[in-house]
């Protein structure tokens, strides 16, 4: 028997929000009835997605009227896809209003905001889910299953290397992410995915962090030092950007033009700034060492200027070793003025030169075993559609509750998971400033203990 659809709102209508707009529009158990964003042009773009899907347009609201929107639109669930530093501004009042909340990662960008969110979840008892879509990648699920089965015995150490190529990595240095007060830096915005995976794979928690990070490739100084800097502030209309492979051509792509170039008149936000300009306050080369509560250590390195894109993760155990290598893009051609849409830049669609995925089990005293994989490169390795099913139910499901099969097989990330993934990035950022190791429990009094109490409810 079908139920009345849950009434949903999305706050923040940039590129990533399209996944949720289309996902909710395709599910009869949910109705996207409200959009909230300071930019009317971007909200109009998302309403175009709704009407193209045969759904009625949503009402549009300014951020200062968010609380009014929740009440007047009788909202049941809120999806938060704003600039990272703004997440708590919407998570907290939505929880207090009794809404179910789904937030894009990272949960937030600093310890004070994290504590505020955890306090609110504890006080209200309402549900907060962090959209860690990499948990739903079938390759990552296979890794977790092998580790849980004890195929390498006790896990003693992990080495994790993540490489962003000069197409994807550069894009964080064109937009709002390049200012740390907005994004927390790549240790928070990007690496929270990876730290959550390790916590999830190990079923453990981070205890102590040490690391070094610097701006080594992007930014004005490095660009001049390496002979890569061109003299323009933003690519659109700049002659100096015409043959620059690091420039993004907003006008050449329908989605980018509609979401950003046409929307500049409303708020002045520039999506195509010079990656070798300024100011840039985040790092592009980061090395981190993490000790977990049961003793396993992780060495982690994020490079945001690599010739190829992908990752290698190796687990060393008392009975052997498990190795995963994924090539998301084997190389990037020096195309002048990038015209691919943001989906190709950020994993929604497969890269042109995508490679393969290899998972190798190396037991002690036995030959290595190649584990068969069914790897995808689009939709974040197949994680996006599975995550949407877990969050909102399958496309053909009636009613308003998340799908039991996907939700049971792939538990969604809670506020506790969000806090623990965030903690590693925050601790690393502090190490970059002080040169000293940081205990996770010292980031904010009671953060990890409080998160555990929330999980136990």
């Amino acid at each position: 028997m079908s139920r009345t659809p849950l009434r949903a709102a999305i706050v923040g209508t940039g590129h990533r929000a399209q996944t949720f707009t289309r996902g909710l529009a395709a599910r009869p158990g949910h109705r996207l009835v409200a959009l909230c964003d300071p930019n009317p042009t971007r909200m109009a773009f998302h309403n175009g997605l709704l009407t193209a899907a045969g759904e009625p347009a949503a009402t549009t609201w300014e951020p200062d009227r968010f609380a009014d929107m929740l009440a007047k639109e009788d909202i049941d669930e809120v999806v938060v896809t704003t600039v990272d530093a703004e997440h708590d501004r919407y998570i907290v009042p939505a929880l207090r209003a009794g809404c179910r909340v789904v937030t894009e990662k990272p949960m937030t960008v600093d310890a004070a905001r994290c504590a505020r969110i955890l306090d609110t979840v504890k006080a209200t008892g309402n549900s907060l889910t962090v959209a860690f879509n990499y948990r739903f990648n079938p390759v990552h699920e296979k890794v977790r299953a092998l580790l849980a089965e004890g195929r390498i015995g006790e896990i003693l150490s992990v080495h994790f290397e993540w490489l962003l190529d000069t197409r994807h990595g550069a894009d964080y240095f064109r937009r709002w992410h390049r200012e740390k007060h907005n994004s927390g830096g790549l240790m928070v915005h990007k690496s929270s995915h990876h730290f959550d995976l390790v916590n999830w794979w190990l079923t453990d928690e981070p205890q102590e962090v040490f690391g070094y990070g610097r701006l080594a490739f992007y930014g004005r100084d490095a660009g001049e030092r390496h002979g890569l800097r061109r003299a323009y502030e933003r690519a659109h209309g700049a002659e100096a950007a015409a043959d620059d492979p690091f420039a993004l051509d907003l006008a050449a792509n329908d989605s980018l033009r509609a979401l950003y170039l046409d929307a500049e008149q409303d708020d002045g936000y520039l999506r195509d700034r010079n990656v070798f300009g300024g100011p840039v306050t985040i790092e592009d080369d980061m090395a981190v060492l993490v000790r977990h509560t049961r003793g396993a250590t992780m060495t982690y390195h994020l490079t945001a200027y690599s010739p190829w894109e992908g990752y290698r993760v190796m687990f060393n155990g008392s009975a052997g070793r498990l190795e995963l290598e994924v090539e998301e893009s084997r190389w990037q051609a020096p195309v002048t003025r990038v015209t691919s849409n943001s989906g190709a830049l950020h994993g929604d669609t497969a890269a042109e030169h995508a490679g393969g995925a290899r998972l190798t089990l190396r037991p002690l005293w036995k030959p290595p075993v190649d584990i068969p994989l069914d790897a995808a490169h689009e939709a974040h390795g197949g994680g996006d559609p599975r995550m949407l099913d877990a969050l909102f139910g399958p496309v053909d499901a009636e009613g308003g509750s998340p799908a039991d099969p996907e939700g049971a097989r792939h538990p969604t990330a809670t506020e506790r998971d969000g806090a623990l993934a965030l903690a590693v990035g925050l601790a690393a950022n502090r190490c970059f400033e002080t040169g000293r190791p940081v205990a996770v429990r010292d980031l904010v009094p009671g953060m990890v203990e409080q998160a555990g109490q929330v999980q136990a409810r």
Side-chain angles (χ1 to χ4, degrees):
M1 190 176 189
S2 63
R3 304 185 220 173
T4 302
L6 294 176
R7 295 175 64 81
I10 291 178
V11 54
T13 54
H15 171 79
R16 179 58 180 164
Q18 293 178 83
T19 297
F20 295 96
T21 297
R22 292 190 173 99
L24 289 166
R27 287 165 168 80
H30 304 260
R31 175 66 53 82
L32 180 53
V33 299
L35 299 170
C36 182
D37 194 286
N39 193 296
T41 301
R42 283 196 283 273
M43 288 192 287
F45 177 88
H46 280 260
N47 265 330
L49 298 178
L50 285 175
T51 56
E55 291 290 297
T59 59
T60 58
W61 297 77
E62 296 178 355
D64 289 345
R65 299 193 63 207
F66 180 70
D68 290 340
M69 180 200 74
L70 296 178
K72 293 183 178 180
E73 296 291 350
D74 194 22
I75 299 299
D76 298 303
E77 55 189 1
V78 174
V79 179
V80 179
T81 54
T82 64
V83 169
D84 299 344
E86 295 285 297
H87 285 182
D88 67 305
R89 176 182 176 186
Y90 304 102
I91 291 171
V92 168
L95 289 171
R96 289 175 177 165
C99 300
R100 174 198 182 212
V101 182
V102 174
T103 183
E104 258 299 314
K105 60 83 199 163
M107 189 170 74
T108 187
V109 298
D110 62 36
R113 289 178 171 95
C114 179
R116 181 173 180 238
I117 291 169
L118 293 174
D119 285 343
T120 305
V121 172
K122 182 180 179 182
T124 64
N126 290 329
S127 171
L128 173 63
T129 302
V130 184
F132 284 127
N133 52 359
Y134 278 135
R135 287 189 176 203
F136 296 86
N137 181 325
V139 172
H140 300 159
E141 180 191 41
K142 185 65 176 178
V143 168
R144 190 172 196 259
L146 291 170
L147 296 175
E149 291 167 7
R151 300 289 289 276
I152 64 168
E154 179 188 355
I155 303 168
L156 305 176
S157 66
V158 183
H159 176 66
F160 200 167
E161 178 185 28
W162 200 287
L163 302 113
L164 300 171
D165 65 28
T166 46
R167 187 65 51 82
H168 183 181
D171 205 46
Y172 293 108
F173 296 83
R174 299 186 184 108
R175 50 195 177 125
W176 57 263
H177 301 78
R178 75 188 203 167
E179 288 129 10
K180 190 171 279 192
H181 69 270
N182 285 325
S183 66
L186 291 177
M187 280 288 92
V188 168
H189 176 82
K190 182 63 181 173
S191 298
S192 63
H193 265 316
H194 316 150
F195 300 145
D196 176 68
L197 276 177
V198 173
N199 295 341
W200 183 62
W201 279 328
L202 301 184
T203 61
D204 203 355
E205 300 178 4
Q207 186 175 59
E208 190 173 43
V209 178
F210 181 69
Y212 291 110
R214 65 175 180 147
L215 184 63
F217 184 81
Y218 300 105
R220 183 183 296 271
D221 291 346
E224 290 178 348
R225 188 169 70 250
H226 300 137
L228 296 171
R229 174 171 161 74
R230 308 288 181 90
Y232 64 91
E233 292 303 313
R234 54 89 54 94
H236 183 68
E239 185 177 346
D243 61 347
D244 184 4
F246 288 94
L248 179 66
D249 190 351
L250 295 174
N253 178 267
D254 291 341
S255 293
L256 291 177
R257 183 177 62 251
L259 277 171
Y260 300 107
L261 190 59
D262 295 347
E264 288 178 12
Q265 62 185 345
D266 299 322
D267 58 14
Y269 171 60
L270 303 181
R271 176 66 176 77
D272 61 343
R273 287 183 286 178
N274 188 345
V275 301
F276 300 113
V280 177
T281 56
I282 67 172
E283 300 81 11
D284 57 24
D285 191 296
M286 294 137 278
V288 176
L289 176 63
V290 181
R291 181 162 56 90
H292 289 79
T293 56
R294 291 203 296 270
T297 56
M298 174 184 68
T299 54
Y300 173 84
H301 202 118
L302 176 64
T303 302
Y305 53 89
S306 171
W308 70 281
E309 174 141 332
Y311 50 103
R312 300 182 179 105
V313 58
M314 287 77 78
F315 303 85
N316 298 300
S318 60
R321 177 178 167 99
L322 185 65
E323 303 173 346
L324 172 65
E325 179 173 293
V326 178
E327 288 183 307
E328 299 286 6
S329 171
R330 298 183 65 245
W331 67 289
Q332 287 289 353
V335 178
T336 57
R337 295 179 68 99
V338 180
T339 57
S340 59
N341 67 19
S342 200
L345 296 175
H346 293 283
D348 295 341
T349 58
E352 182 180 0
H353 301 291
R358 292 167 291 280
L359 182 60
T360 306
L361 178 65
R362 299 182 183 274
L364 294 180
W365 315 116
K366 295 179 182 179
V369 179
D370 292 326
I371 307 297
L373 293 175
D374 183 15
H377 291 288
E378 67 280 355
H380 293 97
D384 280 346
R386 300 174 98 187
M387 180 185 71
L388 290 172
D389 281 350
L391 290 173
F392 305 116
V395 171
D396 58 356
E398 296 288 339
S401 59
D404 289 336
E406 287 296 334
R409 290 175 53 221
H410 309 281
T412 54
T414 66
E415 66 284 337
R416 177 176 187 272
D417 301 316
L420 291 172
L422 174 65
V424 179
L426 295 181
N429 280 339
R430 184 174 293 183
C431 293
F432 300 164
E433 296 173 359
T434 67
R436 295 185 174 186
V438 173
V440 167
R441 295 174 187 271
D442 292 341
L443 287 170
V444 61
M447 185 176 83
V448 175
E449 292 89 340
Q450 184 181 15
Q453 292 169 7
V454 171
Q455 177 70 2
R457 60 182 168 84

